[in-house]
């Protein structure tokens, strides 16, 4: 039996004794199916749910966000699977499943890792009823950027996709937050915390920073650094350091070398961690910009 599990009826048909099928040694994540053990991830739980969900069901909302690897905030993670069906189909009623009903042709969908799932841009729109604007912006930034600045791989969606999804969302719950977030989504952010920091700087009245700004050597023959958020004219660099920058020795040493290279080129570098209140960071950036203007 693989991680997805199988229907209980299938096990009986294949000859497994009833006492084994209905005994306590097999896990029962959903009524009518069996698995070797509990799902270790939400994606695994979705695979288990797919065994017993109706064929017309799509994974939606937070489950779709997980399947598409969107950067959901930790508090928004769910133990239940979220699915949807198109009218006139009736939402399935199962313990551990949150079901929704969608208007036909309202949403796009695709197959991801063998699962029927609402398209990323429409899942983003659905999340507007559950998430705050900064979280929606962080996800929107991810959808139109992906890791393209590093890998060159096209991102999961385009700005036009997000705009179309917002129109399809109509006047549903969360549309005000969705439209506000849409207006603040930008290409270039490579982490949700970079997105949230950018918003905090803009909300503090500072100019919008350049995102993942590439600094070339004076000779122009090599890349010296890619700065998370930058004010190139003022030579002010802002680097957000996640925990892996602290725990990974190679990353930590590279951070130091990159800072030294930037300082040698005349940049002022501001490091930011999760412990730094964004309001305080905005003040540090404001002072750095002021120092630059008086040089």
């Amino acid at each position: 039996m693989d991680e997805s599990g199988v229907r209980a009826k299938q096990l009986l048909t294949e000859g497994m004794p009833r006492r084994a099928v209905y005994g306590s040694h097999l896990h029962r994540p959903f009524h009518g199916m069996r698995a070797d053990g509990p799902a270790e991830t939400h994606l695994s739980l979705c695979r288990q749910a797919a065994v017993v969900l109706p064929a017309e069901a799509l994974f939606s909302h937070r489950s779709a966000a997980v399947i598409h690897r969107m950067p959901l905030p930790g508090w928004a993670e769910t133990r239940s699977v979220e699915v949807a069906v198109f009218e006139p189909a009736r939402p399935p009623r199962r313990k551990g499943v949150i079901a929704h009903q969608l208007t036909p042709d309202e949403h796009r969908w695709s197959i991801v890792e063998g699962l029927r799932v609402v398209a990323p841009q429409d899942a983003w729109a659905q999340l507007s009823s559950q998430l705050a604007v900064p979280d929606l912006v962080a996800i929107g930034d991810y959808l139109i950027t992906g890791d393209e600045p590093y890998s060159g791989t096209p991102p999961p969606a385009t700005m036009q996709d997000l705009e179309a999804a917002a129109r399809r969302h109509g006047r549903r719950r969360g549309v005000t937050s969705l439209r506000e977030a849409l207006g603040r989504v930008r290409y270039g952010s490579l982490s949700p915390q970079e997105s949230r920091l950018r918003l905090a700087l803009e909300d503090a009245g500072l100019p919008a920073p350049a995102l993942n700004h590439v600094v070339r050597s004076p000779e122009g023959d090599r890349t010296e650094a890619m700065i998370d958020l930058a004010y190139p004219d003022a030579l002010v660099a802002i680097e957000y350091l996640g925990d892996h920058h602290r725990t990974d020795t190679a990353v930590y040493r590279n951070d130091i070398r990159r800072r030294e290279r930037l300082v040698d080129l005349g940049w002022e570098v501001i490091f930011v961690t999760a412990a730094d209140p964004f309001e305080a960071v905005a003040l540090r950036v404001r002072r750095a910009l002021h120092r630059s203007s008086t040089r």
Side-chain angles (χ1 to χ4, degrees), residues 7 49-60 82-94 97 99-105 107-111 115-118 126:
R7 288 180 178 271
V51 172
V52 291
L53 287 172
E56 64 270 20
L58 302 162
F59 290 99
S60 65
E82 285 199 82
V83 302
V85 295
F86 291 112
E87 297 176 342
R90 297 178 65 84
R93 293 188 176 185
R94 284 184 175 273
V97 175
H100 309 266
Q101 189 179 52
L102 306 177
T103 303
D105 300 325
H107 292 72
R108 305 299 184 264
W109 63 277
S110 60
I111 301 292
L115 300 173
R116 284 167 48 93
V117 58
V118 169
Q126 291 173 341

Side-chain angles (χ1 to χ4, degrees), residues 8-291:
K9 290 182 179 179
Q10 180 180 339
L11 293 175
L12 294 172
T13 301
E14 292 174 353
M16 180 178 284
R18 290 183 64 84
R19 64 179 179 277
V21 174
Y22 294 101
S24 60
H25 74 287
L26 290 179
H27 187 62
R28 308 181 187 189
F30 301 98
H31 179 72
M33 63 89 61
R34 300 291 185 271
D36 287 328
E40 295 183 358
T41 65
H42 189 76
L43 178 59
S44 297
L45 187 64
C46 290
R47 293 190 188 283
Q48 293 178 346
V51 172
V52 291
L53 287 172
E56 64 270 20
L58 302 162
F59 290 99
S60 65
H61 296 74
R62 287 172 293 178
S63 290
V66 171
I67 294 170
H68 288 299
R69 293 180 169 78
M70 298 181 193
L72 273 178
W75 63 264
E77 295 175 2
T78 176
R79 292 182 178 274
S80 299
V81 167
E82 285 199 82
V83 302
V85 295
F86 291 112
E87 297 176 342
R90 297 178 65 84
R93 293 188 176 185
R94 284 184 175 273
K95 184 178 180 180
V97 175
I98 300 172
H100 309 266
Q101 189 179 52
L102 306 177
T103 303
D105 300 325
E106 175 192 339
H107 292 72
R108 305 299 184 264
W109 63 277
S110 60
I111 301 292
V112 178
E113 299 191 32
L115 300 173
R116 284 167 48 93
V117 58
V118 169
Q121 62 269 27
D122 286 306
W124 171 75
Q126 291 173 341
L127 292 171
S128 64
S129 64
Q130 301 165 317
L131 302 183
V133 169
D135 298 320
L136 292 171
V137 173
I139 292 175
D141 286 356
Y142 162 75
L143 288 178
I144 68 169
T145 305
D147 63 358
E148 186 176 43
Y150 280 135
S151 68
T153 302
T158 65
M159 194 65 188
Q160 291 73 27
D161 290 332
L162 299 191
E163 292 168 350
R167 288 194 298 270
R168 287 194 292 274
H169 198 67
R171 297 180 179 275
R172 290 170 180 78
R173 182 185 170 200
V175 68
T176 300
S177 296
L178 183 65
R179 289 170 179 166
E180 181 180 347
L182 180 64
R184 304 194 70 179
V185 168
R186 281 182 57 195
Y187 176 90
S189 178
L190 288 171
S191 80
Q193 283 302 89
E194 289 178 25
S195 296
R196 295 185 181 99
L197 177 55
R198 168 177 68 84
L199 294 179
L201 297 178
E202 294 173 357
D203 289 343
L206 293 168
L211 304 178
N212 284 288
H213 176 73
V214 175
V215 177
R216 304 287 293 176
S217 64
E219 300 77 19
D221 59 346
R222 66 183 183 277
T223 296
E224 293 287 358
M226 181 184 284
I227 303 169
D228 294 340
L229 300 96
Y231 294 95
D233 292 341
L235 295 181
V236 173
I238 307 154
E239 292 279 77
Y240 188 87
L241 305 182
D243 279 348
H244 71 286
H245 290 261
R246 173 179 56 84
T247 58
D248 188 310
T249 301
V251 172
Y252 175 71
R253 291 173 177 171
N254 186 61
D255 289 337
I256 295 175
R257 288 193 294 268
R258 186 170 67 253
R259 182 183 185 280
E260 290 175 344
R261 289 198 300 270
L262 288 170
V263 169
D264 287 343
L265 293 172
W267 287 77
E268 180 171 350
V269 182
I270 298 173
F271 281 149
V272 182
T273 71
D276 297 314
F278 284 168
E279 296 84 356
V281 175
L283 180 59
R284 291 165 60 193
V285 172
R286 189 183 303 279
R287 289 171 175 168
L289 294 176
H290 177 72
R291 285 192 292 271

